[in-house]
Amino acid sequence: MPFAAPASVLTVMAHPDDAELWAGGTLARCSASGAAVTIAVPRHTQPGRDAEAAAGAAILGAALHEYDHPTAAMLRELLLAIRPEVVITHPLRDVHADHRTLAEALVTALPDVVIATGHPRRVYTADSYNSLTLDGAIPAHTIIDITETYEQKRRALAAHASQPITGHFGPMAETLARLWGSRIGVTHAENFVPLPVLGRLPAAPAL
């Protein structure tokens, strides 16, 4: 099936390398298909991490927006400014506390923005460590073939040289991408789960 990219994608994540790790191949596919892709991540106190975030975003073909604190008010202003068609964030019950805090703030900001603007039209949560949440395994839902952009994802993740990419995050990303890929018969893939937007979920063509 041909890849149909949305007009714009905003990925709101809790750490400078999260977009690459959990959604990098999909973001690269969207960018290559003409979508306006924005990665929103926090500014970091550790030297060099902001530059790594900029380098990773550039490899994926995305614009970088850095924020200070993930409050609902700040995220509301970001959503109003960008008005993305699609938003990607962390699972609400992610195993990482920072991920949960960010996702909760985003979900708090969404209703007023959607009522005012009609955007975002779709919201998805991405994968997490070992594809687990506090409630168990992340369900397979919207699995995107990233075989053609996996190398971009890998290079974007490698831009975060201050992190344990070679011995930890890189192998984990490879394992997860291959596991999701095996679900749909491709080499590499990423999985996303929709969140209701004012009670609505994306339409499905079949059961």
Side-chain angles (χ1 to χ4, degrees):
M1 180 181 297
F3 180 72
S8 56
V9 181
L10 170 64
T11 306
V12 186
M13 298 289 185
H15 303 107
D17 55 359
D18 278 335
E20 291 89 332
L21 186 56
W22 309 120
T26 300
L27 296 178
R29 282 204 73 174
C30 288
S31 177
S33 298
V37 177
T38 303
I39 294 172
V41 293
R43 293 184 180 87
H44 209 279
T45 56
Q46 182 178 331
R49 293 210 68 184
D50 289 347
E52 291 174 351
I59 291 169
L60 298 178
L64 179 67
H65 176 90
E66 292 183 302
Y67 59 82
D68 291 317
H69 301 288
T71 65
M74 182 279 295
L75 293 173
R76 178 180 180 276
E77 294 306 311
L78 177 63
L79 291 166
L80 286 171
I82 295 179
R83 298 194 182 190
E85 182 178 345
V86 169
V87 167
I88 300 171
T89 192
H90 298 290
L92 284 166
R93 294 281 289 166
D94 201 293
V95 293
H96 196 303
D98 291 348
H99 294 185
R100 294 197 302 273
T101 297
L102 184 281
E104 289 167 5
L106 180 67
V107 168
T108 299
L110 278 171
D112 288 346
V113 176
V114 175
I115 289 169
T117 69
H119 291 79
R121 299 189 184 280
R122 298 183 298 284
V123 179
Y124 294 92
T125 59
D127 207 356
S128 190
Y129 299 99
N130 298 310
S131 295
L132 290 174
T133 70
L134 295 177
D135 299 320
I138 291 175
H141 195 283
T142 303
I143 304 177
I144 305 296
D145 180 2
I146 63 163
T147 302
E148 293 183 2
T149 55
Y150 181 75
E151 178 58 23
Q152 265 180 278
K153 173 188 173 87
R154 190 197 65 75
R155 288 191 290 110
L157 191 57
H160 296 268
S162 67
Q163 301 305 295
I165 303 299
T166 302
H168 180 52
F169 291 130
M172 180 176 66
E174 171 73 17
T175 297
L176 293 175
R178 286 192 175 277
L179 285 171
W180 288 118
S182 70
R183 298 285 190 97
I184 60 172
V186 301
T187 303
H188 294 96
E190 291 169 338
N191 180 60
F192 303 91
V193 179
L195 284 179
V197 178
L198 298 184
R200 297 191 305 270
L201 288 169
L207 292 177

